[in-house]
Amino acid sequence: MEQAAVVDLTAVVVAVTQDQPRVLVTPGQGRASAADRRMARAELGSAALDALPSGPLEHRHRTLEAGLRAWVEAQTGTRLDYVEQLYTFGDRDRMSSGPGRSRVLSIGYLALAQEAGSALAGDALWHDWYRYFPWEDWRRGRPAVLDRVEKPLRRWAGAGDTRAERTARKERAIVAFGLDGTAWSDERVLERYELLYEIGLVAEARRDGLAGEGRAVDALQEGQPMAADHRRILATAIARLRGKIKYRPVVFELMPAGFTLLQLQRAVEALAGVRLHKQNFRRLVEQQGLVEETGHIITATGGRPAREVRFREEVVLERLAPGLRLPIARASE
Amino acid sequence: MEQAAVVDLTAVVVAVTQDQPRVLVTPGQGRASAADRRMARAELGSAALDALPSGPLEHRHRTLEAGLRAWVEAQTGTRLDYVEQLYTFGDRDRMSSGPGRSRVLSIGYLALAQEAGSALAGDALWHDWYRYFPWEDWRRGRPAVLDRVEKPLRRWAGAGDTRAERTARKERAIVAFGLDGTAWSDERVLERYELLYEIGLVAEARRDGLAGEGRAVDALQEGQPMAADHRRILATAIARLRGKIKYRPVVFELMPAGFTLLQLQRAVEALAGVRLHKQNFRRLVEQQGLVEETGHIITATGGRPAREVRFREEVVLERLAPGLRLPIARASE
DNA sequence: CCTCGTAATGCTCAAAATGAGTATAGGAGA
DNA sequence: TCTCCTATACTCATTTTGAGCATTACGAGG
């Protein structure tokens, strides 16, 4: 009856360095499961697959989060500060191995860190996250990948069995990828990845068989794949973080003690994958009292020197308390 | 090494009826664990503890969500529509039984339903959720419970060992409960419950031993307790839902096909636990195109008849796509 | 020293979105 | 018919956005 499950803790550790969002990964080889190695051989040559730091929950771990921290530290030498649970994945067929084997549950976590000062252990390293999701970076305009993806997407939408099915698919494609003039939504990262997976446009779909649809897997394999369902977990993390920076001062976890407003803006842009209006951005940050001047002047800006600022710790108090701003009117929708 | 865990799926099924937010519960007796029964006898007389519908993940469940739906249907006769994963709890000591026993993971889910038309099976029934969280309902002003709670809260804050500890505690209490003029935040439901648990102001704390603090458990036992860690899961659900209604049109999942704007407002108020400004509320809903008139007139309003409206399904498309409103300026914080 | 290039900053302005009310309309019931 | 109780319509003063324009300052090249 009750089924014992093996629980895997997986961390998406994020940092922003040189205006690029990075994730902490370990080349998959060492920790790859049999399935991963099979995949590596069969479909992707013998290229190692990047993997997120992760490990099984053990009895010595008092809490899930403690277990996660322990694994990340052991595998990458990084001690985590900000940590937040993301989602628990547990489809019977998608990740666990053959029948009979007990189910694998993976609990994903998002951690925010700073690359500077992190002495990495072993083969762990930081990779730009857009390497895995090239279609998510709109900072220099619409990514070219989208042109390659659009046709298969529309083909899939039109291939539904019933009329209703076709409408639903088309709607899904349009909303997720902002087709036909619909606006691109930076937060739909997971939906986009899931859709590409279903259509067979990402390597993991081929590996997992994708028997469901029965359709031939497309030749296109966009973005670099990851071990196990790590790319899916990473997508979840990006989506969550992109949503969160909009209403909670979390970017600061990724910044050094002192920074300029442009540096802050670049960090947000890196995460959100879009460019922001400079003047309005600083007005927002300043008027909200999120930062205060340190008194220092940074001259290495390439232009006029900038004032150095730091995060105002007090806002955590001020801001999180008055959270009730909306109820008295906006609470609807 | 790897530890096999038993996974429990627990559902918080919410509905709003007669302006009250309800949760689907089953009197704990039947499904209570040994620990629950012990608690019931020892601390709470032989009163049965309400429990959320829940059951262990089994191999026949293809996905976690499918398992959840199956259990809810079996235990309450309710077929769920909107379902969303909340959080996975897995502290070694808090919920699982004695040492040696395998760990229990509980995955909480939030489901939105409508009480009308749900034919309940067995002993399942709908209860006002404020029965478990009396301090969360501010619709008729500041709840009286808060007066009783404030003193122990301050005593706890002042009882920290170090100065830093006392400051931290005080800050936590102030932010969570809106003391000293700080605004009350409707979304901090979980923080408030956890704090009361730590201080020993909720019955579950006494049951679980609360050895950590070593402090005498307070005599006050606010709100009705629930089986296992269900009250914590419910708190998580309320917090999530209160946050979500502010930026996603989810209230409609709780409304019948046709309704009046005041009914909608009352539903939101029931969930958020606060009163809203009527004119501004309707302006918001209308201007955002969330609803459209059905053409019917509802005369049973107790006053001037009201136009009946229904949710505009299209907004899911319109609204969720343009989600990118903020990036171009607001994306900071 | 003067001129660019590149940013940092300061300000302006019109268009929404908010927060708070005031005023009027229309049934049900006494 | 009068009264009570909402439903609806509108106003009005602020704030908050979205978009730009203009000015200021350093470093590098000439």
Side-chain angles (χ1 to χ4, degrees), chain A residues 1-8 56-65 71 84-93 99-103 105 107 109 171 174-175 182-188 240 244-252 264 268 272 274-277 280-281 284-285 288 290 316-317 319-333, chain B residues 1-8 56-65 71 84-93 99-103 105 107 109 171 174-175 182-188 240 244-252 264 268 272 274-277 280-281 284-285 288 290 316-317 319-333:
Chain A
M1 275 286 271
E2 281 184 13
Q3 175 194 31
V6 169
V7 180
D8 227 66
L57 171 66
E58 298 179 351
H59 193 268
R60 65 189 166 100
H61 302 136
R62 209 180 55 71
T63 65
L64 301 176
E65 206 180 291
W71 281 119
E84 163 186 340
Q85 196 188 93
L86 277 178
Y87 199 81
T88 300
F89 300 92
D91 286 10
R92 198 199 320 119
D93 313 312
R101 275 274 292 134
S102 70
R103 186 189 294 249
L105 234 62
I107 309 183
Y109 280 82
E171 204 166 283
I174 288 176
V175 171
T182 306
W184 173 269
S185 167
D186 66 328
E187 294 180 36
R188 309 190 154 274
R240 174 79 127 264
K244 201 143 192 173
I245 49 174
K246 288 169 196 155
Y247 63 94
R248 283 288 139 87
V250 285
V251 220
F252 300 102
L264 181 63
V268 174
V274 290
R275 290 204 141 286
L276 305 179
H277 183 283
N280 291 347
F281 176 82
L284 200 72
V285 173
Q288 298 207 120
L290 294 174
V316 176
L317 258 177
R319 208 131 262 302
L320 300 192
L324 192 70
R325 163 196 176 196
L326 336 118
I328 306 192
R330 200 189 204 177
S332 78
E333 294 221 36
Chain B
M1 277 283 272
E2 279 185 13
Q3 175 194 28
V6 169
V7 180
D8 227 68
L57 171 66
E58 298 179 350
H59 193 267
R60 65 190 165 100
H61 302 136
R62 208 180 56 70
T63 65
L64 300 176
E65 204 181 292
W71 281 119
E84 166 186 339
Q85 195 187 95
L86 277 177
Y87 199 80
T88 300
F89 299 93
D91 286 9
R92 201 206 310 125
D93 314 310
R101 276 273 291 136
S102 70
R103 187 189 291 251
L105 235 62
I107 309 183
Y109 280 83
E171 202 166 284
I174 287 177
V175 171
T182 306
W184 173 269
S185 169
D186 66 328
E187 294 180 35
R188 309 190 153 275
R240 174 76 128 267
K244 201 144 194 173
I245 50 174
K246 288 169 196 153
Y247 62 95
R248 283 289 139 84
V250 285
V251 221
F252 300 102
L264 180 64
V268 174
V274 290
R275 289 204 141 286
L276 305 179
H277 184 283
N280 291 348
F281 176 83
L284 200 72
V285 174
Q288 299 206 118
L290 294 173
V316 177
L317 258 176
R319 211 129 262 297
L320 300 191
L324 193 70
R325 162 200 177 195
L326 336 118
I328 305 192
R330 200 189 204 178
S332 78
E333 294 220 36

Side-chain angles (χ1 to χ4, degrees), chain A:
Chain A
M1 275 286 271
E2 281 184 13
Q3 175 194 31
V6 169
V7 180
D8 227 66
L9 303 170
T10 306
V12 175
V13 186
V14 178
V16 175
T17 317
Q18 290 169 229
D19 304 343
Q20 294 304 327
R22 323 274 182 127
V23 228
L24 195 49
V25 299
T26 54
Q29 218 108 54
R31 308 193 7 79
S33 69
D36 295 333
R37 271 196 292 278
R38 198 180 326 117
M39 172 185 182
R41 267 201 305 280
E43 265 101 15
L44 305 161
S46 44
L49 286 180
D50 294 341
L52 296 171
S54 78
L57 171 66
E58 298 179 351
H59 193 268
R60 65 189 166 100
H61 302 136
R62 209 180 55 71
T63 65
L64 301 176
E65 206 180 291
L68 180 93
R69 287 174 190 274
W71 281 119
V72 172
E73 211 164 322
Q75 290 169 18
T76 71
T78 307
R79 184 181 296 270
L80 301 180
D81 190 17
Y82 180 100
V83 172
E84 163 186 340
Q85 196 188 93
L86 277 178
Y87 199 81
T88 300
F89 300 92
D91 286 10
R92 198 199 320 119
D93 313 312
R94 183 147 170 178
M95 267 311 303
S96 40
S97 324
R101 275 274 292 134
S102 70
R103 186 189 294 249
V104 176
L105 234 62
S106 54
I107 309 183
Y109 280 82
L110 166 64
L112 303 184
Q114 287 173 46
E115 189 171 334
S118 73
L120 295 188
D123 47 4
L125 49 97
W126 295 96
H127 268 169
D128 181 339
W129 78 24
Y130 291 121
R131 148 203 301 250
Y132 310 104
F133 300 98
W135 54 87
E136 295 292 345
D137 188 1
W138 284 61
R139 286 176 296 173
R140 278 169 306 282
R142 189 162 188 277
V145 220
L146 289 172
D147 294 329
R148 291 203 295 281
V149 162
E150 188 165 340
K151 196 180 298 279
L153 213 48
R154 290 190 189 281
R155 198 185 315 131
W156 169 81
D161 292 330
T162 64
R163 190 172 157 58
E165 169 69 5
R166 283 191 293 276
T167 310
R169 283 190 178 188
K170 186 163 184 193
E171 204 166 283
R172 219 178 129 197
I174 288 176
V175 171
F177 286 90
L179 305 179
D180 301 340
T182 306
W184 173 269
S185 167
D186 66 328
E187 294 180 36
R188 309 190 154 274
V189 189
L190 183 60
E191 277 139 284
R192 286 188 278 270
Y193 176 71
E194 293 281 8
L195 193 44
L196 294 182
Y197 180 96
E198 261 185 66
I199 303 183
L201 289 180
V202 292
E204 288 91 335
R206 178 177 294 194
R207 170 197 63 185
D208 299 349
L210 190 70
E213 276 298 316
R215 195 180 332 354
V217 171
D218 213 283
L220 293 173
Q221 304 293 303
E222 302 295 352
Q224 187 171 313
M226 296 184 90
D229 59 348
H230 291 188
R231 194 146 56 135
R232 178 154 62 145
I233 295 175
L234 177 53
T236 309
I238 296 175
R240 174 79 127 264
L241 189 49
R242 283 184 170 182
K244 201 143 192 173
I245 49 174
K246 288 169 196 155
Y247 63 94
R248 283 288 139 87
V250 285
V251 220
F252 300 102
E253 301 286 343
L254 302 165
M255 305 297 292
F259 48 88
T260 69
L261 289 178
L262 185 60
Q263 276 165 23
L264 181 63
Q265 182 183 339
R266 293 288 179 239
V268 174
E269 291 176 332
L271 299 174
V274 290
R275 290 204 141 286
L276 305 179
H277 183 283
K278 188 164 170 176
Q279 294 84 352
N280 291 347
F281 176 82
R282 32 174 74 227
R283 173 174 64 185
L284 200 72
V285 173
E286 286 177 323
Q287 123 211 123
Q288 298 207 120
L290 294 174
V291 299
E292 60 191 0
E293 294 186 37
T294 62
H296 297 156
I297 297 293
I298 305 295
T299 53
T301 60
R304 172 174 171 175
R307 295 168 302 149
E308 186 189 60
V309 298
R310 63 169 156 250
F311 176 56
R312 280 187 62 230
E313 299 294 344
E314 304 90 308
V315 305
V316 176
L317 258 177
E318 298 168 3
R319 208 131 262 302
L320 300 192
L324 192 70
R325 163 196 176 196
L326 336 118
I328 306 192
R330 200 189 204 177
S332 78
E333 294 221 36

